[in-house]
Amino acid sequence: MPAMVQYELMLPFELEAALERCPTAIVPIGTLEWHGRQNALGLDAVKAHALCVEAAQRFAGVVLPPLFGGVGGVDQPHTIVMEPEPTMTSHLLEPWLSSLCAELVRNGFRAIIVLTGHYGASQQMIVRETAIRQMQRLDVPILGTPEYILALDAGYTGDHGGHFETSLMMALKPELVDLDQLEGHPPYQGIGGGDAKRDSSAELGRRLCDVMVHRVGTLALNMPTWDETQRRAFLRAEQAFLNHQLELAGKTGDVWAAWRDFGFWAPYGALLAEGEFDEIRKLFGG
């Protein structure tokens, strides 16, 4: 039977034992948002949570309950927008994440991974920027990232309810996908990326999940063991990544500017899991 890794379901002695084994907290976040007629509305957070649980069960860490709320959301039915985008600031998500990180450290965690399954440009930058600031304030390693960036070298470039996300859900939560819904209506309403009906498969989803789970799990296992030199190198690498995104957004006035040519980011996930932080910094010109 897999070990209990979900914070909200643990008895106190289980949490205490987990902290002894590996004091890493893994925080999944997403939105409530249309992802096509074929996918559950909570796809982003459901997907991120399932990946986090699998990573903790295979490797290490304690998974927090998912947050169904973030920055942005598509202009489609049944979408709840807590903070509109585009924006470079957050009045809800940023203070919530900051407070949560401080509380996790106060409760004995010595590393934190915030994994967002929602890919809006504003959300991605706010999550990474908040992680960097809290890392400096709390003196523990904190990673804030969308999960797809960890698997760019495996061919996963992210989408919105397209064949990638649908495939991930088919692998992680098949009961929450119904491809038959992509018949009639405007079948691909509100979907971005590939042909979800033709190209989605549980096999594709599992291949990508395995890459992301391995990298999240490896980081969860290793982050609490990093010494001061490694933590500082990780911080500088993450700052270089964020600076690249922010500077392009500032120059163009478009929060998506950094994503127009992001093929060179592909090594990031592997370099991160392998602890090659100076190489990440060089990748982004830091």
Side-chain angles (χ1 to χ4, degrees):
M1 183 176 179
M4 176 55 66
V5 297
Q6 292 178 234
Y7 191 110
E8 73 277 18
L9 302 180
M10 286 176 158
L11 297 179
F13 81 90
E14 292 176 307
L15 178 58
E16 291 156 10
L19 284 167
E20 282 290 322
R21 288 192 301 272
C22 179
T24 298
I26 313 178
V27 181
I29 62 176
T31 54
L32 291 169
E33 182 182 29
W34 177 279
H35 283 84
R37 296 183 177 277
Q38 81 280 18
N39 285 311
L41 293 162
L43 183 151
D44 289 338
V46 169
K47 170 192 61 176
H49 183 254
L51 288 167
C52 292
V53 168
E54 194 170 323
Q57 288 174 337
R58 286 203 212 173
F59 292 84
V62 175
V63 181
L64 275 289
L67 173 69
F68 288 88
V71 181
V74 294
D75 183 16
Q76 294 292 334
H78 318 308
T79 296
I80 295 177
V81 178
M82 299 299 294
E83 295 187 278
E85 60 181 349
T87 181
M88 303 292 278
T89 61
S90 166
H91 301 290
L92 295 174
L93 182 62
E94 186 278 329
W96 183 87
L97 280 177
S98 296
S99 295
L100 178 61
C101 287
E103 279 298 286
L104 290 170
V105 171
R106 186 179 70 83
N107 276 276
F109 289 96
R110 292 296 169 260
I112 301 168
I113 298 171
V114 181
L115 199 71
T116 175
H118 175 52
Y119 303 154
S122 298
Q123 170 104 348
Q124 294 188 49
M125 288 192 286
I126 287 166
V127 166
R128 195 173 300 277
E129 185 173 29
T130 302
I132 289 168
R133 284 204 306 272
Q134 292 309 306
M135 184 167 19
Q136 293 171 301
R137 291 172 180 168
L138 300 171
D139 196 33
V140 300
I142 304 175
L143 171 66
T145 187
E147 93 279 340
Y148 79 93
I149 284 179
L150 301 179
L152 285 172
D153 57 344
Y156 182 28
T157 55
D159 64 13
H160 182 79
H163 75 289
F164 280 133
E165 283 199 316
T166 301
S167 293
L168 292 176
M169 288 296 282
M170 291 171 75
L172 293 166
K173 295 288 183 182
E175 70 276 15
L176 301 182
V177 181
D178 182 0
L179 292 180
D180 289 341
Q181 295 299 312
L182 292 175
E183 301 288 350
H185 315 291
Y188 296 101
Q189 175 187 349
I191 294 177
D195 188 318
K197 177 75 169 176
R198 183 191 65 205
D199 299 331
S200 300
S201 72
E203 291 74 22
L204 171 61
R206 176 42 54 191
R207 179 175 65 81
L208 298 175
C209 284
D210 284 345
V211 174
M212 294 182 284
V213 164
H214 184 270
R215 288 173 179 171
V216 171
T218 299
L219 287 162
L221 199 58
N222 292 338
M223 286 170 71
T225 72
W226 291 345
D227 61 22
E228 179 64 28
T229 299
Q230 289 170 303
R231 292 198 301 271
R232 181 169 290 275
F234 170 64
L235 173 63
R236 297 293 176 254
E238 290 298 293
Q239 287 174 322
F241 192 160
L242 179 66
N243 287 343
H244 168 74
Q245 294 179 312
L246 290 174
E247 287 169 7
L248 282 175
K251 285 177 182 177
T252 62
D254 178 6
V255 294
W256 279 107
W259 282 262
R260 296 221 172 87
D261 181 22
F262 69 105
F264 73 92
W265 300 4
Y268 172 79
L271 292 172
L272 185 64
E274 292 163 6
E276 298 290 343
F277 306 131
D278 288 343
E279 293 302 312
I280 293 173
R281 180 174 51 78
K282 293 174 188 175
L283 194 66
F284 293 103

